Amino acid sequence: MFDLTTLASQLIVSCQAYPGEPLRDPRTMAQMAQAAVNGGAAAVRIQGIQDLEQTRVAVDVPMIGLWKDGADGVFITPTLEHALACAAAGSDIVAIDGTRRPRPDGRSLGETIAALHEQTGALVMADCGSAADAKAAADAGADLIGTTLAGYTGERDKTDGPDLELIAEIAALDLGRPLIAEGRIHTPAQARACLDAGAFAVVVGTAITHPTTITGWFAGALRG
């Protein structure tokens, strides 16, 4: 197990491509992770078992692993089976849906986290959508709290950029867990603002590793 303090005030880069996209290939995502590490990423966040396996060989920084299964409700590493597979593929931290919604396998969040800790020793990042989620996830034994699902669960409006208000609200709870800002962080200034709001570290994905979206930003600006 690595020392979480090494991630303090650091950048974590999420390397993901969606089905049907030109970059949707595990080797490509591993290369993307290498490029991010070369640029200063202290850790990477990777989706999918093959991507995790390829990236584990390619980089030696901590890897946050997840497995998206489905598109609605609880779909980020939704069951213990998914979580165990992510750990087996080399994840130092397994990211799971950390909301208070029912899980597909019927286990509680606490049961899932306890089993993952016991069977693998991997740390758990709870992807939350609200301060209430964050409190419940900490009580359930999560090692890290993320704001990944802010604006996607119906509890909060989807902000144009990062949900700085939520970051500050969770930080004020003093849960004793590193708070990871994630979601709609599109500029270096916004990343810095997340730290200033109380985040321990910051995850950036789309603005670094999703060229289709980035290209769309520029093309849209030119069209007016």
Side-chain angles (χ1 to χ4, degrees), residues 87-219:
S91 302
D92 301 286
I93 301 168
V94 177
I96 67 177
D97 183 296
T99 67
R100 304 177 327 278
R101 299 175 293 183
R103 307 180 69 78
D105 60 4
R107 290 183 173 86
S108 69
L109 180 60
E111 289 169 341
T112 301
I113 292 172
L116 189 59
H117 281 162
E118 180 180 352
Q119 296 183 44
T120 72
L123 300 179
V124 177
M125 176 175 170
D127 289 349
C128 298
S130 66
D133 283 345
K135 176 64 167 59
D139 290 343
D143 302 288
L144 306 93
I145 303 297
T147 60
T148 317
L149 291 172
Y152 297 104
T153 64
E155 287 196 80
R156 297 183 64 83
D157 292 334
K158 183 178 178 182
T159 53
D160 184 50
D163 193 335
L164 297 174
E165 181 180 277
L166 177 60
I167 293 168
E169 184 178 354
I170 296 174
L173 294 175
D174 195 18
L175 298 174
R177 307 288 196 278
L179 172 58
I180 312 300
E182 182 173 7
R184 301 181 298 279
I185 302 168
H186 295 158
T187 69
Q190 289 178 337
R192 179 69 246 182
C194 289
L195 289 185
D196 293 341
F200 176 81
V202 177
V203 174
V204 177
T206 297
I208 295 176
T209 62
H210 199 254
T212 299
T213 298
I214 299 166
T215 302
W217 292 341
F218 281 88

Side-chain angles (χ1 to χ4, degrees), residues 7-27:
L7 298 183
S9 301
Q10 297 297 309
L11 174 66
I12 301 165
V13 174
S14 179
C15 304
Q16 301 182 42
Y18 301 102
E21 294 185 339
L23 300 184
R24 177 57 269 162
D25 181 272
R27 184 169 178 267

